[in-house]
Amino acid sequence: MIRLVDVATVIRSKNAGPYELTLDVIFKDSTWFRRARDGAWINEELIARLYGVPRSDVFAVIAFEPANAIKATIRRPRVSAAIGETDVYGAQQHAPLLSLEFDDVEQG
């Protein structure tokens, strides 16, 4: 098994406006990025499951090759700074990504 924390240099979350949250995974190099992208390690279904949101609340999962990065954007469960919201900046929402493991099967 491959642990995401072992092949990524950055795993973070942040606001993408008051209604959306962005999750970023930046891989150590282009080889790991391509394996993750081609193997669909991070996809809409995974993000929906990890964050307990409907698939329709996962707006995008985008691979950005120049940065060796995969970005996912989801609807925030509560508007940033709303009553009861606990992470105004969205900076503590990446935790579910930290325990991800993937099968060690290299793509084509």
Side-chain angles (χ1 to χ4, degrees):
M1 296 296 281
I2 298 168
R3 296 179 336 147
L4 187 61
V5 296
D6 292 336
V7 298
T9 56
V10 174
I11 301 172
R12 67 182 176 203
S13 60
K14 59 189 176 196
N15 279 343
Y19 305 104
E20 297 176 358
L21 182 70
T22 292
L23 310 162
D24 296 322
V25 177
I26 303 173
F27 291 89
K28 289 183 175 182
D29 58 40
S30 60
T31 300
W32 283 116
F33 164 75
R34 283 192 298 272
R35 284 179 70 179
R37 179 197 62 198
D38 297 347
W41 289 2
I42 300 169
N43 56 52
E44 290 85 357
E45 291 75 22
L46 173 71
I47 298 299
R49 181 175 51 80
L50 285 177
Y51 286 87
V53 299
R55 168 61 185 81
S56 60
D57 282 356
V58 179
F59 298 131
V61 174
I62 299 167
F64 186 63
E65 191 165 5
N68 294 325
I70 296 177
K71 171 185 280 235
T73 303
I74 64 173
R75 180 184 319 273
R76 288 182 67 105
R78 293 191 178 179
V79 176
S80 180
I83 294 174
E85 194 275 326
T86 59
D87 186 7
V88 172
Y89 300 110
Q92 300 176 41
Q93 303 306 310
H94 60 284
L97 298 170
L98 299 177
S99 61
L100 286 178
E101 293 183 337
F102 303 94
D103 288 332
D104 190 8
V105 177
E106 194 164 351
Q107 298 297 313

